[in-house]
Amino acid sequence: MKKTYFAILLALLLGTMGVSAQPYFTRNGMQRPADNRHRHGGGYYGSGTWVQYKGFLETGYAGGVGDIKADQFEILTTHGLQATSNLYVGIGTGLQVQFDDAYYRNDGIDMHDTGVNVPLYVDFRLGTSNYSRFPIQPFFDVKIGASFCLNTNGLAISDGCLARDKNFYFSPSVGFRFPIGYRNGLNVAVTYNLTTQSFESVANYRNIGLSSFGVRLGFDF
């Protein structure tokens, strides 16, 4: 008799587990597990811990503002961890090309009218990634680090030139993410770029903040 009761209890237990493991579908057709946790690339949204690798490829263009200014084209790549469904932390680098139509000659040395910089930064991003509930996801992103000029003699700009040295780099952006498939997404953002650089002219030598506003497009994977 005990064996019969045990067999019945075991059958009920296995049946309950089988039902709970069955997925269900939301109104938009997204398959989700029945325990109300959304499986996504090795982790869960909702209850439970959730950490996974995530990378970004981004490109953008920004117009310079201020008395001393330069436009900027950039290609960036960032790699890190999606620590939670709302917080991403990564590190990145890339190339930034600065343009200015001025041409400055200093003691017979020709300055470049195009500057090439390599940024190294830490990236923090806040925003939801649960695209089964939010098909368009707002986010706030900030990159903080240093930018290194590759030009031999610096960049000609305004009535002087930017010195060839390492500079502080700060770039916050606000935008939207549009999911593609199960893991990927397109990102569109309005961004502000700031580098503090040494500026040399005939009149003086000083540190300046080189600012620009623009648009950044990205793909995450």
Side-chain angles (χ1 to χ4, degrees), residues 65-118:
V65 295
D67 295 334
I68 302 174
K69 59 186 178 181
D71 295 348
Q72 178 174 283
F73 170 77
E74 63 182 6
I75 299 176
L76 305 174
T77 179
T78 309
H79 304 269
L81 295 176
Q82 187 78 40
T84 70
S85 60
N86 298 314
L87 174 63
Y88 171 82
V89 181
I91 58 175
T93 186
L95 284 177
Q96 297 171 324
V97 182
Q98 296 172 323
F99 306 93
D100 187 65
D101 56 7
Y103 193 77
Y104 178 63
R105 184 182 297 272
N106 182 18
D107 296 331
I109 301 176
D110 292 339
M111 298 289 107
H112 298 280
D113 58 358
T114 300
V116 179
N117 301 284
V118 174

Side-chain angles (χ1 to χ4, degrees), residues 179-197:
I180 300 176
Y182 200 59
R183 290 187 53 130
N184 310 126
L186 291 178
N187 301 261
V188 180
V190 176
T191 184
Y192 168 73
N193 301 300
L194 171 68
T195 54
T196 58
Q197 300 179 254

Side-chain angles (χ1 to χ4, degrees), residues 2 43 57 109 118 122 139 195 199:
K2 291 183 179 180
L57 291 175
I109 301 176
V118 174
V122 178
F139 67 84
T195 54
F199 177 74

